[in-house]
Amino acid sequence: MTTEPSRGASGKRAASVVLLTFNEVEGTRALLSALVEVDADEVFAMDGGSQDGTVELLEHAGIRVVRQVRKGRGPALIEGCDLARNEYLVVFSPDGNEDPSDIPKLLDLLDAGADLAIASRFLPGSRNEEDDVALPFRAWANRAFGAAVNLLWNRGRFVTDTINGFRAFRRSKIAELQLDAPGMTIEYQMTSRALKKGLDIREIPTREGDRIGGETHAPAIPTGIAFLKVLAREIYLGRNAPAGAAR
Ligand SMILES: Nc1nc2c(ncn2[C@@H]2O[C@H](COP(=O)(O)OP(=O)(O)O)[C@@H](O)[C@H]2O)c(=O)[nH]1
Ligand SMILES: [Mg+2]
């Protein structure tokens, strides 16, 4: 049985798309028309202090840009969640890695009952950026970090991509997780705590595109260390975290 998705005041689907941008002008330009036309009641950007014209480009296209208060991708996501006006939220990075046509598919999973819907780069039919690379270190690290939290806290449903930032969720459910991880680790903390809590996590296969312009903000070694720290802290806090956890 399929039911029509609910509509916001704008007549578009009752969901907020939060763009995360930090000097992302080339990717943003390439994706702009898709983002303006996306079937979502609200689209706005949390910007990390872009100096390359990203802000002007978005504002010229009528997309609201909010300058994040605290530094890093983690705080940008948390602040964006607080500002969004819908219960359904999609986080989208306009750097070329993510395909806007997956947005309605993620929202469909929420409509079907999921609390957290992840675009996975590791399902049959998926592609990840390193599929053509001889030694795909990032993809291996991704899978290793993913295996760890599945092994520790999974209650039946294996999550194949615990880290990808391209995801949709019910804002009220994710607020309960009291996320506070810095930088690129925010989604890993989100998935870990969602597993601990037994939230309904579902995935769609996605085909990760190549970065369109600029450079990654996630240098391999410091990012790997940051992930290890988040994993260690989640293990220390235990299955009941964050409830009652010292923060
Ligand atoms: N708002 C905000 N966005 C960020 C920040 N750091 C990275 N991003 C965005 O997050 C997305 C993913 O970053 P990226 O460098 O591509 O990471 P990678 O995909 O892991 O290589 C991009 O759209 C970036 O512009 C930040 O500090 N603030
Ligand atoms: Mg990227």
Side-chain angles (χ1 to χ4, degrees), residues 86-206:
N86 291 285
E87 165 71 351
Y88 284 9
L89 238 134
V90 184
V91 181
F92 186 86
S93 301
D95 62 0
N97 291 149
E98 304 175 3
D99 179 353
S101 70
D102 284 335
I103 292 173
K105 299 178 197 166
L106 291 169
L107 291 171
D108 286 346
L109 287 187
L110 300 187
D111 271 340
D115 300 312
L116 171 57
I118 302 175
S120 169
R121 299 160 295 178
F122 304 114
L123 278 170
S126 297
R127 174 188 189 265
N128 83 78
E129 212 178 3
E130 287 190 335
D131 271 352
D132 311 323
V133 173
L135 297 172
F137 290 114
R138 271 172 66 136
W140 287 340
N142 249 288
R143 287 172 190 264
F145 280 113
V149 295
N150 272 290
L151 219 63
L152 285 162
W153 301 301
N154 186 288
R155 301 183 190 181
R157 195 180 270 146
F158 189 89
V159 179
T160 63
D161 194 340
T162 59
I163 288 171
N164 201 7
F166 191 15
R167 51 181 61 205
F169 47 83
R170 291 171 191 264
R171 184 166 76 153
S172 58
K173 293 284 181 161
I174 296 307
E176 286 171 20
L177 304 179
Q178 298 175 35
L179 303 180
D180 59 1
M184 301 296 178
T185 57
I186 188 78
E187 290 86 5
Y188 187 48
Q189 186 189 48
M190 185 193 296
T191 313
S192 302
R193 291 189 176 183
L195 283 169
K196 288 181 185 181
K197 243 183 155 353
L199 295 191
D200 187 330
I201 310 175
R202 303 187 198 183
E203 297 178 290
I204 56 159
T206 195

Side-chain angles (χ1 to χ4, degrees), residues 18 20 46-48 67-83 179-187 189:
V18 183
L20 296 182
M46 294 301 300
D47 187 80
R67 294 278 185 175
Q68 66 191 77
V69 178
R70 290 171 302 133
K71 244 173 103 80
R73 183 180 157 105
L77 189 150
I78 293 164
E79 290 173 22
C81 286
D82 291 342
L83 290 174
L179 303 180
D180 59 1
M184 301 296 178
T185 57
I186 188 78
E187 290 86 5
Q189 186 189 48

Side-chain angles (χ1 to χ4, degrees), residues 8-64:
S10 61
K12 289 191 165 188
R13 198 165 181 165
S16 295
V17 176
V18 183
L19 309 174
L20 296 182
T21 55
F22 188 17
N23 292 329
E24 223 52 270
V25 71
E26 288 154 78
T28 304
R29 187 177 294 116
L31 294 163
L32 200 57
S33 61
L35 296 172
V36 168
E37 282 160 25
V38 73
D39 184 19
D41 171 60
E42 179 181 39
V43 181
F44 68 97
M46 294 301 300
D47 187 80
S50 296
Q51 298 290 333
D52 65 346
T54 304
V55 173
E56 295 74 9
L57 183 70
L58 287 165
E59 287 180 339
H60 188 253
I63 295 178
R64 180 164 71 108

